[in-house]
Each structure stands twice: as structure tokens, then as C-alpha cells.
């Protein structure tokens, strides 16, 4: 079987970079809309008996891009593809991974079930909001991490001197700890209290940050409010200005840009799992990481070395 790579409209540039890293052409697919907004897709090349990889972050507009992915997978299944793999650099609905109040759905589980229902046999994702989302799938999930990308960048830029790695909450503590170990730095964490699905507050700082430059790592920056409040809490605890903020997924809605323009923030670093339309931030490519994962999956090699 050959590697056959296709992309929806969510992030074709990333798909082209992955194809370049793999040394394979990007397959041709039609993705358009009917006048009423219905999504229409068509694979323009034969995939019979092939190993198909669909590159499609379910980034905003999340529902449109999710529907494109489901339809692409169904088209591949009905075209007799041997195996269908969904490459989800960003997994939309991941923050809805539990019931926070009564009579709510578990939307992340529903999306997982939909992907399986249309014939997806494997998922490759980067920094799921909660690692336990892997358990929502009854198919293999290769959960990659951007920690190595951030570590390499910080070392190359010389940003690790007199620094401390900070997790914005308990949910990201494991990734922050791994980054701290890679860099040989101390680790701290912010205690965060959630007042609703969109409102949080930072109550105190766990760990010694006094006189150190914080390297704040998160998975998603949406409105940036948590980042701004976290930076202010770190400064109150004696941390130095010149904070480096790192996040895998740049959702950036609402007042995100204003919050990230805090005077104590020296640099904001994202990966390219979601396309950034405006500049002003450092963007690290995930194409090589995803290409390596695809190559290892295709040749039945271990992916754990990339995690």
C-alpha cells in the first residue's frame, strides 16, 4: 500500500508541508459548499486498496471542518480504501470531555463515535486537551506532544537561563513537568478555579518562581484570559517580567490578542496546528512531527519515540 494524503479546507498549507516531508504528492480532493451551506466533497483520485491519511484539524469554524472530515472519510470508505487514518493536529470539541452540569452531552465522545462510524480506523492527534480522550475511541489513537518542539526552540534561543517552567493548571502539569525535565529547569504550577465553562481565576502559585523568568506552557489559547491572569499572579509571586508563553493550539477568539499583549510577556510561541491569519507570534511547524508519525504508522513501527 502507498501513503495517500488528502486534506480538507481547514489547513491545506500544513498538509502540503507534511506531504513534502514524506516525499509524496498531496492528493486532489474537491471541497465546496452548496448555496444553502451544505458541505460537498469528492476524492478526485482512486484510493482503492490504499492507506489513506486525511489531514484536517477541526479548527474554527469547527462544525464545518468536522463535517468535511466525516464526509472525506465516508468518501474514502465508499471508494474501497484499505485503511482510513484521521490526522487531527487540533481536535475540536476536546474541551467538552465531561459533564460539568446536569443534562449535558459529552461532546468529545460523540465526535469520537462519529469518526469511528464513518470508517476511520486510526487517529493521529497533537496535545489533546485531556489525554483521557484517547479512551473515547475504540480504535488506536497516536497522541503526539509538542513539548520537544518547544524545548528545542527555547534552547536554540537561549531562553532557559534562570527560568522556571510553569503549568497554568493541574491539567497541563504533566506536559510542563516533561518540558522542565528536558531543559533541566524547576517546575511550578498555577492553582486555577473554574467558575464556569468560560471563566476562571488564579488563586495562588505552587512552587518557587521568585527572581526567575516564567516559561508558561499550555495546550490551547482561546481568549487568553487565563494566560493574562496567570502572568499577573506570577508577577505578584516575584517572578521576573519577560514571560515566554507557549501553546500548541492558537484558537485566539475574543480579546485574545489584547490579553497576549500584556507588557510582561516577552514572546508568544504557537505551533501551526491551526492556521494563523495574522502575524506577531512565533510559529513552530508540526509538519515533520506528523510526517514521522504517519511514516511510522504506515510501516508498522513504534510511534512512542515521538510522544
Amino acid at each position: 500500500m502507498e501513503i495517500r494524503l488528502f486534506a480538507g479546507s481547514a489547513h491545506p498549507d500544513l498538509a502540503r508541508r507534511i506531504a513534502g516531508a514524506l516525499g509524496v504528492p498531496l492528493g486532489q480532493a474537491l471541497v465546496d459548499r452548496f448555496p444553502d451551506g451544505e458541505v460537498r466533497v469528492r476524492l478526485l483520485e482512486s484510493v482503492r486498496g490504499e492507506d489513506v491519511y486525511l489531514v484536517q484539524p477541526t479548527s474554527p469554524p469547527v462544525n464545518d471542518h468536522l463535517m468535511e472530515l466525516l464526509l472525506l472519510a465516508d468518501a474514502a470508505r465508499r471508494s474501497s480504501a484499505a485503511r482510513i487514518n484521521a490526522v487531527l493536529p487540533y481536535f475540536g470539541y476536546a474541551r467538552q470531555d465531561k459533564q460539568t452540569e446536569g443534562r449535558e452531552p459529552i461532546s468529545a465522545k460523540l465526535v469520537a463515535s462519529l469518526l469511528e462510524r464513518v470508517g476511520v480506523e486510526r487517529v493521529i492527534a497533537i496535545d489533546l486537551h485531556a489525554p483521557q480522550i484517547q479512551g473515547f475511541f475504540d480504535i488506536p489513537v497516536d497522541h503526539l506532544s509538542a513539548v520537544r518542539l518547544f524545548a528545542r526552540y527555547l534552547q536554540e534561543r537561549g531562553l532557559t537561563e534562570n527560568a522556571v517552567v510553569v503549568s497554568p493548571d493541574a491539567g497541563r502539569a504533566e506536559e510542563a513537568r516533561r518540558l522542565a525535565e528536558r531543559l533541566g529547569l524547576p517546575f511550578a504550577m498555577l492553582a486555577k478555579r473554574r467558575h464556569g465553562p468560560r471563566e476562571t481565576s488564579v488563586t495562588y502559585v505552587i512552587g518557587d518562581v521568585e527572581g526567575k523568568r516564567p516559561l508558561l506552557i499550555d495546550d490551547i489559547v482561546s481568549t487568553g484570559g487565563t494566560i493574562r491572569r496567570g502572568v499577573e499572579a506570577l508577577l505578584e509571586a516575584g517572578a521576573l517580567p519577560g514571560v515566554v508563553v507557549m501553546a500548541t493550539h492558537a484558537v485566539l477568539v475574543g480579546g485574545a490578542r489584547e490579553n497576549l499583549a500584556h507588557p510582561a510577556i516577552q514572546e508568544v510561541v504557537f505551533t501551526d496546528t491551526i492556521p494563523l491569519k495574522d502575524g506577531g507570534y512565533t510559529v513552530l511547524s508540526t509538519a515533520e512531527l506528523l510526517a514521522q508519525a504517519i511514516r511510522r504508522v504506515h510501516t508498522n513501527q513504534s510511534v512512542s519515540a515521538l510522544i
Side-chain angles (χ1 to χ4, degrees):
M1 293 188 294
E2 296 182 1
I3 294 177
R4 301 302 306 278
L5 203 68
F6 292 89
S9 68
H11 205 339
D13 288 342
L14 176 58
R16 281 189 286 268
R17 289 194 291 271
I18 294 171
L22 286 168
V24 301
L26 183 62
Q28 297 185 19
L30 170 70
V31 180
D32 63 6
R33 302 285 189 276
F34 285 103
D36 64 355
E38 286 183 18
V39 178
R40 174 176 178 254
V41 307
R42 180 171 179 248
L43 302 180
L44 302 179
E45 302 173 9
S46 173
V47 295
R48 183 178 296 273
E50 303 287 10
D51 201 359
V52 173
Y53 293 82
L54 305 174
V55 181
Q56 178 82 337
T58 49
S59 51
V62 175
N63 294 337
D64 285 358
H65 291 154
L66 174 60
M67 183 56 70
E68 284 181 20
L69 176 60
L70 295 172
L71 293 175
L72 285 167
D74 190 63
R77 179 175 63 86
R78 295 177 186 275
S79 302
S80 301
R83 186 168 61 172
I84 303 168
N85 309 271
V87 182
L88 289 164
Y90 171 69
F91 182 74
Y93 284 100
R95 285 173 288 182
Q96 298 187 57
D97 61 337
K98 57 183 174 295
Q99 287 184 320
T100 56
E101 296 178 335
R103 299 177 297 281
E104 284 186 343
I106 302 178
S107 304
K109 168 58 180 170
L110 174 61
V111 172
S113 298
L114 289 171
L115 288 169
E116 292 182 37
R117 180 65 182 84
V118 296
V120 171
E121 297 175 55
R122 178 181 290 268
V123 169
I124 300 174
I126 301 179
D127 283 338
L128 294 169
H129 183 63
Q132 60 266 27
I133 289 175
Q134 297 171 81
F136 291 172
F137 292 88
D138 291 324
I139 56 177
V141 177
D142 293 306
H143 185 204
L144 308 177
S145 170
V147 162
R148 61 174 54 210
L149 302 180
F150 292 132
R152 184 188 310 135
Y153 178 78
L154 292 168
Q155 289 171 326
E156 289 174 352
R157 287 291 308 276
L159 296 170
T160 60
E161 186 176 351
N162 192 34
V164 56
V165 176
V166 181
S167 171
D169 53 37
R172 303 309 299 169
E174 179 60 24
E175 294 299 292
R177 182 193 60 78
R178 289 176 56 204
L179 178 61
E181 288 182 352
R182 276 181 174 268
L183 299 175
L185 294 176
F187 163 71
M189 184 176 71
L190 303 178
K192 187 171 71 174
R193 176 175 295 174
R194 184 168 293 279
H195 305 286
R198 300 180 184 87
E199 186 179 354
T200 61
S201 63
V202 177
T203 53
Y204 53 91
V205 178
I206 303 171
D208 181 17
V209 299
E210 187 172 359
K212 298 182 177 67
R213 176 211 298 270
L215 307 176
L216 188 58
I217 181 171
D218 207 347
D219 62 326
I220 300 172
V221 172
S222 183
T223 65
T226 296
I227 295 295
R228 178 181 54 80
R229 289 185 288 272
V231 168
E232 291 171 351
L234 289 166
L235 294 175
E236 290 177 5
L240 297 176
V243 179
V244 177
V245 173
M246 298 163 287
T248 308
H249 310 298
V251 175
L252 302 186
V253 294
R257 291 193 173 271
E258 291 76 12
N259 286 323
L260 293 175
H262 192 287
I265 296 177
Q266 173 182 322
E267 186 174 7
V268 179
V269 185
F270 293 119
T271 74
D272 61 351
T273 57
I274 295 174
L276 273 171
K277 297 179 181 178
D278 302 319
Y281 304 122
T282 301
V283 180
L284 307 180
S285 176
T286 59
E288 184 62 36
L289 175 64
L290 289 166
Q292 289 182 41
I294 290 170
R295 178 70 69 187
R296 286 171 178 264
V297 167
H298 183 67
T299 55
N300 296 314
Q301 298 180 60
S302 172
V303 182
S304 60
L306 305 176
I307 296 174

